[in-house]
Each structure stands twice: as C-alpha cells, then as structure tokens.
Amino acid sequence: MRGLMALPALLFMGIVFALPLGLLLAKSVQGADGLTLNGYARVLGDAYYRGVIWDSLTLAFRVTLISLLVGYPAAYALARTGGVMQVLLFSLVFLPLTVSIIVKTFGLTIMFRREGILNWLLINTGLTDGPIRFVFTEMSLVIGMVNVFLPFMILPLYSVIRMLDGRYLDAAATLGAGPFTTFRRVVLPLTMPGIVAGSSIVFAISVAAYVTPGLLIGERYMTMSMVMAKAFLNFRDYQLGSAMACVMLVIALSIVFASSFLTRSLEQRGGR
C-alpha cells in the first residue's frame, strides 16, 4: 500500500528527472562514429576547460565561505529573538526568495554602476574621489551571488540553532567559560550539522549558477554552466555540453554525498 502511494511521485520524478538525465549521459558519450569518451577528454584534457572548472570551484568556495560568515550571526539572532523582531527578521530572509533571481541581479547591476547608489555613498562620505568600477568585476560577482544564495545558508543554520538547549550555555558559564570559549567548545560543535548542510547547499547551487554570473560579469569569468550553455546554444556541440554538464553533476553530487556522510558522522559522535 505504501509503495502504491509513492508510485505517482516516483513516476513523475522518473519522467522529469531520471529520463532527461539518462539522455544527457547518453549524449555525452555519443559521437559521429558511435560511443566515445572524446567529450570528457576535451573537458578534462584541455587546459582551458580545466581552468573553467577550477574557477567555478573557487568561486563557489568563496561564496560559501562569505555566506557562512555572514549567515551564521544572522541565523543565531533569528533563533534567539522572538515576537515582532523575529517576524521582521524572518521577513528579511524569506522575502528575497519570492523575488526572481533575474530581478535581483538586475537590481544589483543598477546599484553597482558608476552613477549607482554605492558609488554615490562612497563619494558623498569622502571615501573616494570618484566613481569606482564595480560592474563586470569578480567582486560584484561574489557579492551578487552571496546576496542571492544567503537565505539557503541561513535557514539550515536557523533550524539547528533553534534546537540548541540554552541550558548548555548556562552550564558552560557556570563552569567559568567565557563567551568565546562557550562558542568554540559548545555552540560551534552542536551547530556543525547546520553548517555542513548550509555550506553543501550553497556550494552545490553556486558551482552550477548561470544567471547571476552571466548578468554580472558575462564572459569575463566563465563558469561550467556558461560553457555548457554556449556549447548547446551557440556551437551546437551537444557532446561537449553534455560532458561538461555531467562533470558539473558529479561535483554537485559529490558535495551532497560528502555532506550527508559528514552529518551522519557528527550525529553518531554526538550521540555517544
């Protein structure tokens, strides 16, 4: 009976996910003369494409690290406040999720341009003598991606911090631990599953991001998703695009599986 109840969802996932994925895998090894790994050889053997993969990974790492540093205090404040303040903070986290990524990214380009509000503030506060170039730079790309993906870091952290028993903090203070020691020895280990979950989510979606890099920096900073899109849409090189997509999928799945294994290990260690 339970299997029959799950059957519609399994059929739906098979049609809209498994089937297209299987076709993509088949296309990546399909050449003019039959089965071939030439697409993977081009992706992994060419220095340019290896550089694109490396740039995508480093970009995702920077976005994940900054999102963690910014999102952890926000998640902690969200979990420890109540009443109207918590509702306000929740609104600040959830409202960006209701806005299209394209709209948010275009809003950032307006803010970053020479006559935008960011340059206006820098000039009027005396920090700079003239406008600074922000658009089409790596800094604007990282800031834009952090702005888009930050809620995906805050929410997993919030769910873990909210369950943190305040008596642990009281016990640490009673034993003479200061705020920093309490955070390092009590709060941080207990919230590590949230850190792992949020970091894996942000890293996985950052490494596959397409819209935000395309609008904020264009082809000045090529990512795997942009190479894949150009291969499919511009060059009609379906084997190359499929091979790059499969490499990107393997990277994302590796992050998810590694985070799941690490989370399980942390839970088992905490249960001892």
Side-chain angles (χ1 to χ4, degrees):
M1 185 61 182
R2 295 179 180 177
L4 292 176
M5 294 175 64
L7 186 59
L10 293 175
L11 289 175
F12 179 79
M13 291 300 296
I15 294 174
V16 303
F17 179 73
L19 181 59
L21 182 60
L23 295 175
L24 187 70
L25 291 170
K27 205 69 177 178
S28 67
V29 294
Q30 181 180 350
D33 300 325
L35 297 179
T36 177
L37 296 177
N38 184 53
Y40 293 98
R42 292 165 63 189
V43 169
L44 301 176
D46 191 294
Y48 172 76
Y49 294 121
R50 289 201 307 270
V52 169
I53 295 173
W54 175 253
D55 289 342
S56 300
L57 293 174
T58 54
L59 174 63
F61 177 79
R62 284 184 287 173
V63 171
T64 302
L65 180 60
I66 297 174
S67 297
L68 177 60
L69 295 177
V70 176
Y72 196 101
Y76 194 91
L78 183 62
R80 292 304 174 188
T81 55
V84 178
M85 180 59 67
Q86 189 177 60
V87 173
L88 177 61
L89 293 177
F90 259 120
S91 301
L92 294 176
V93 173
F94 277 104
L95 284 179
L97 296 176
T98 64
V99 181
S100 169
I101 292 179
I102 297 178
V103 174
K104 288 190 288 188
T105 305
F106 271 122
L108 287 170
T109 59
I110 295 174
M111 184 183 73
F112 285 144
R113 59 188 183 182
R114 293 175 64 86
E115 63 275 14
I117 186 173
L118 185 57
N119 269 313
W120 181 85
L121 287 173
L122 291 175
I123 293 173
N124 283 274
T125 54
L127 296 177
T128 60
D129 297 328
I132 299 176
R133 180 173 173 269
F134 291 108
V135 182
F136 299 117
T137 62
E138 289 189 29
M139 183 178 67
S140 68
L141 174 59
V142 173
I143 294 174
M145 292 183 65
V146 170
N147 174 71
V148 171
F149 300 137
L150 184 59
F152 299 99
M153 177 67 75
I154 293 177
L155 293 177
L157 286 170
Y158 163 77
S159 64
V160 174
I161 296 174
R162 184 174 60 89
M163 296 185 294
L164 183 63
D165 194 337
R167 290 176 296 181
Y168 290 129
L169 308 182
D170 296 336
T174 303
L175 294 173
F180 177 75
T181 303
T182 301
F183 174 78
R184 182 173 60 88
R185 301 291 298 272
V186 179
V187 177
L188 188 61
L190 292 176
T191 57
M192 190 60 68
I195 295 175
V196 174
S199 299
S200 63
I201 294 172
V202 173
F203 190 93
I205 58 180
S206 296
V207 81
Y210 172 71
V211 174
T212 304
L215 293 177
L216 286 179
I217 199 169
E219 296 186 1
R220 295 171 181 263
Y221 195 103
M222 292 295 292
T223 62
M224 289 187 287
S225 57
M226 295 172 68
V227 169
M228 180 183 65
K230 287 189 66 175
F232 277 111
L233 301 177
N234 296 348
F235 304 138
R236 305 293 180 182
D237 192 341
Y238 301 119
Q239 186 185 50
L240 175 63
S242 300
M244 181 63 78
C246 290
V247 171
M248 186 169 59
L249 179 63
V250 169
I251 293 173
L253 290 177
S254 299
I255 296 299
V256 173
F257 289 141
S259 65
S260 300
F261 175 78
L262 183 57
T263 301
R264 191 178 301 111
S265 300
L266 291 172
E267 291 176 350
Q268 293 175 352
R269 187 182 305 172
R272 293 177 180 175

